[in-house]
Amino acid sequence: MTVQQLHILHALKQRGTMTATQLGSACFFSPPSCTRMLVEMVDGGLVSCEPLEFDKRVKLYKLTAAGAQIVKNAEQKAESEGHLLDESLDVWTTDRRRLSKWRRVMTGWLS
């Protein structure tokens, strides 16, 4: 599990069902990068994917129970260390210079 994948899972937990474009925008990922990560997470059972009813070209992504458990575990580990997962992901998104510090902290939460 990467920090980027956790960011997508967290966005799905907060906002519910989303398209790849919406997720890319919410997480500040390029559409190809977001789609690649989503395919991996669908294959891993963390996210489900269904076509939009009126436009089968558009896929809707939703958090599965397994994906929700990963987010819950990361939130609990973050809180036990005096952090909030929301704030940590915001720092990761908005200030790449702090990435190495937060990557170490968040990697600990995911292990």
Side-chain angles (χ1 to χ4, degrees):
M1 173 67 48
T2 66
V3 174
Q4 293 91 338
Q5 289 171 325
L6 178 60
H7 200 179
I8 288 173
L9 294 177
H10 189 257
L12 285 170
K13 180 184 177 221
Q14 287 186 316
R15 299 176 187 193
T17 304
M18 300 173 75
T19 65
T21 301
Q22 291 169 327
L23 278 164
S25 255
C27 299
F28 299 96
F29 299 138
S30 70
S33 295
C34 191
T35 300
R36 255 190 322 275
M37 286 185 277
L38 284 165
V39 167
E40 291 175 13
M41 290 187 286
V42 167
D43 290 345
L46 304 176
V47 174
S48 65
C49 174
E50 294 183 20
L52 193 61
E53 270 187 49
F54 59 88
D55 186 351
K56 303 293 184 196
R57 297 170 297 169
V58 178
K59 295 178 181 172
L60 293 174
Y61 296 91
K62 183 178 177 182
L63 199 59
T64 65
Q69 188 61 50
I70 288 174
V71 175
K72 182 179 177 181
N73 291 345
E75 288 173 336
Q76 289 172 343
K77 287 183 181 182
E79 288 173 20
S80 73
E81 294 182 17
H83 302 284
L84 293 176
L85 186 59
D86 289 346
E87 292 173 359
S88 299
L89 290 171
D90 286 345
V91 166
W92 182 85
T93 300
T94 58
D95 189 352
R96 299 288 174 119
R97 290 175 293 170
R98 295 183 189 174
L99 178 58
S100 64
K101 173 190 173 195
W102 288 108
R103 182 177 288 160
R104 286 191 306 274
V105 171
M106 292 173 79
T107 299
W109 298 338
L110 296 173
S111 58

